[in-house]
């Protein structure tokens, strides 16, 4: 999943552009499109790492994604944010919400299937619930949400086959994928604390965030990798699609969904991503699937859904 400032801070408000978009393409169709794109992202990462090292995949992903956001900003005549403090906070957000989790998922998929990476991504709401109990005083736990937290992590153990001693699961790759999923809610909490009241538009903030993440990877990648000696076409196309569609276009669509139907409904896409990632990995990449994977994934999703239940005011 691609995280941005907009998903953490956007309020449901309509603009004339968004109103016209709603009349031309129903929000349910756009919701399905985002679900498919982000669900297939884990397959594209796997294909990309067949030809390029993880940092190169992440850098390419960010370059293509930033290009799409820059084009959207130019069309809407949006300017980048101003103020050193805003850019400092965006630098941290870019690391936690883009550069770090994207890189961790790419490294994770060197040793784990894309299906498992997609399921690990679904644990983000669980991590978010656990962290919010400590970091956000206004977000108090309830019995239902705590039960969802416990149920969700029980689902993770089911996916990993804990009763078999985690045999057949690469511990390093799995840990990297779970760390990537943990990075998202840390970033969301940071953004809520530092950028929620910003006067800049969410498109402007998100574009700047991706630009900073791209610069971060542009610095890191040459330090740990060398220039590719060959440019295999299929992995390159996978990286281009991952960036342009999964990190660029899907983010723009999600931005409109949040404004139109609200963040709660828009972020329900999280629960469809592992289903699509699993189906794509099995059907296209031929990845193996045991009974514990779909059963555990279902438990994870139910638990994640329960952690989002809010008490009635």
């Amino acid at each position: 999943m691609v995280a941005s400032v907009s998903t953490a801070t956007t309020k449901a408000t309509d603009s004339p552009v968004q109103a016209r978009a709603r009349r031309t393409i129903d929000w349910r169709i756009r919701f399905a499109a985002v679900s498919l794109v982000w669900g297939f992202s884990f397959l594209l990462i796997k294909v990309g790492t067949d030809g390029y090292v993880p940092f190169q995949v992440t850098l390419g992903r960010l370059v293509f994604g930033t290009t799409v956001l820059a084009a959207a900003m130019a069309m809407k005549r949006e300017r980048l944010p101003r103020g050193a403090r805003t850019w400092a906070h965006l630098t941290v957000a870019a690391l936690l919400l883009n550069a770090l989790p994207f890189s961790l998922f790419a490294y994770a998929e060197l040793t784990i299937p894309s299906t498992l990476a997609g399921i690990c991504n679904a644990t983000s709401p669980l991590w978010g619930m656990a962290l919010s109990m400590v970091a956000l005083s206004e977000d108090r736990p309830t019995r239902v949400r705590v039960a969802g937290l416990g149920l969700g992590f029980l689902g993770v153990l089911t996916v990993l086959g804990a009763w078999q001693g985690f045999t057949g699961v690469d511990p390093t790759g799995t840990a990297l994928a779970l760390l990537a999923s943990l990075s998202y809610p840390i970033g969301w909490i940071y953004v809520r604390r530092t950028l929620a009241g910003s006067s800049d538009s969410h498109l402007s903030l998100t574009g700047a965030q991706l630009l900073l993440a791209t610069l971060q990877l542009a610095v890191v990648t040459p330090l740990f990798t060398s220039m590719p000696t060959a440019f295999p076409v299929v992995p390159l196309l996978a990286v281009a699609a991952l960036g342009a569609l999964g990190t660029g276009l899907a983010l723009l669509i999600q931005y409109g969904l949040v404004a139109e139907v609200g963040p709660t409904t828009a972020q329900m896409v999280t629960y469809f991503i592992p289903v699509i990632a699993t189906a794509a990995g099995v059907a296209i990449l031929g990845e193996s699937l045991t009974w514990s994977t779909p059963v555990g994934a279902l438990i994870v999703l139910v638990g994640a859904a329960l952690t989002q239940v809010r008490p009635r005011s």
Side-chain angles (χ1 to χ4, degrees), residues 5 37 65 100 155 307:
V5 172
V37 170
L100 180 60
T307 63

Side-chain angles (χ1 to χ4, degrees), residues 175-253:
L176 291 176
L178 291 173
L179 283 174
S181 303
L182 172 62
S183 183
Y184 288 131
I186 294 175
W188 294 331
I189 291 173
Y190 179 83
V191 165
R192 285 180 62 178
R193 285 183 172 274
T194 59
L195 291 169
S198 175
S199 59
D200 295 293
S201 73
H202 295 295
L203 178 58
S204 174
L205 290 170
T206 302
Q209 176 189 316
L210 283 185
L211 174 61
L212 287 167
T214 303
L215 293 176
Q216 289 169 357
L217 260 294
V219 172
V220 170
T221 301
L223 298 178
F224 295 94
T225 67
S226 57
M227 282 292 293
T229 56
F231 293 88
V233 175
V234 174
L236 181 60
L237 291 176
V239 172
L242 180 65
L245 299 179
T247 308
L249 182 61
L251 191 56
L252 288 175
I253 297 174

Side-chain angles (χ1 to χ4, degrees), residues 1-310:
M1 176 182 178
V2 179
S4 69
V5 172
S6 62
T7 59
T9 64
T10 298
K11 295 181 180 179
T13 56
D14 280 338
S15 69
V17 174
Q18 291 155 355
R20 288 195 298 271
R22 182 169 63 251
R23 288 194 295 268
T24 55
I25 303 177
D26 186 81
W27 73 267
R28 297 170 186 83
I29 297 176
R30 286 177 282 140
F31 182 95
V34 172
S35 301
L36 282 172
V37 170
W38 279 343
F40 270 84
S41 291
F42 297 95
L43 178 148
L44 294 174
I45 293 172
K46 174 67 77 173
V47 175
T49 55
D50 285 341
Y52 304 94
V53 299
F55 275 141
Q56 293 168 349
V57 171
T58 303
L59 177 58
R61 174 183 187 175
L62 287 168
V63 167
F64 284 107
T66 302
T67 301
V68 172
L69 266 291
M73 290 178 62
M75 291 177 61
K76 296 186 177 183
R77 297 183 179 180
E78 292 272 3
R79 294 183 177 180
L80 290 172
R82 297 180 179 179
R85 186 174 183 179
T86 297
W87 280 93
H89 290 317
L90 285 172
T91 300
V92 179
L95 174 65
L96 294 174
L97 294 174
N98 301 112
L100 180 60
F102 290 0
S103 299
L104 288 174
F105 272 124
Y107 272 101
E109 290 199 41
L110 291 177
T111 55
I112 66 172
S114 64
T115 53
L116 180 55
I119 293 170
C120 287
N121 180 78
T123 64
S124 282
L126 304 177
W127 295 119
M129 169 62 190
L131 291 171
S132 67
M133 291 178 358
V134 177
L136 299 176
S137 58
E138 73 275 13
D139 197 6
R140 308 312 301 173
T142 63
R143 291 181 179 178
V144 172
R145 300 180 72 192
V146 172
L149 185 64
L151 185 64
F153 285 112
L154 177 62
V156 173
L157 294 177
T158 303
V159 170
L160 300 180
W163 64 93
Q164 298 175 334
F166 304 104
T167 56
V169 176
D170 180 73
T172 301
T174 304
L176 291 176
L178 291 173
L179 283 174
S181 303
L182 172 62
S183 183
Y184 288 131
I186 294 175
W188 294 331
I189 291 173
Y190 179 83
V191 165
R192 285 180 62 178
R193 285 183 172 274
T194 59
L195 291 169
S198 175
S199 59
D200 295 293
S201 73
H202 295 295
L203 178 58
S204 174
L205 290 170
T206 302
Q209 176 189 316
L210 283 185
L211 174 61
L212 287 167
T214 303
L215 293 176
Q216 289 169 357
L217 260 294
V219 172
V220 170
T221 301
L223 298 178
F224 295 94
T225 67
S226 57
M227 282 292 293
T229 56
F231 293 88
V233 175
V234 174
L236 181 60
L237 291 176
V239 172
L242 180 65
L245 299 179
T247 308
L249 182 61
L251 191 56
L252 288 175
I253 297 174
Q254 180 75 349
Y255 165 72
L257 287 173
V258 171
E260 182 176 337
V261 301
T264 301
T265 300
Q267 291 182 24
M268 288 291 289
V269 69
T270 302
Y271 307 119
F272 292 87
I273 292 174
V275 177
I276 297 170
T278 300
V282 173
I284 299 177
L285 297 181
E287 295 176 345
S288 61
L289 187 68
T290 61
W291 69 268
S292 61
T293 300
V295 171
L298 178 61
I299 297 173
V300 168
L301 294 177
V302 172
L306 290 177
T307 63
Q308 304 307 301
V309 174
R310 305 286 176 176

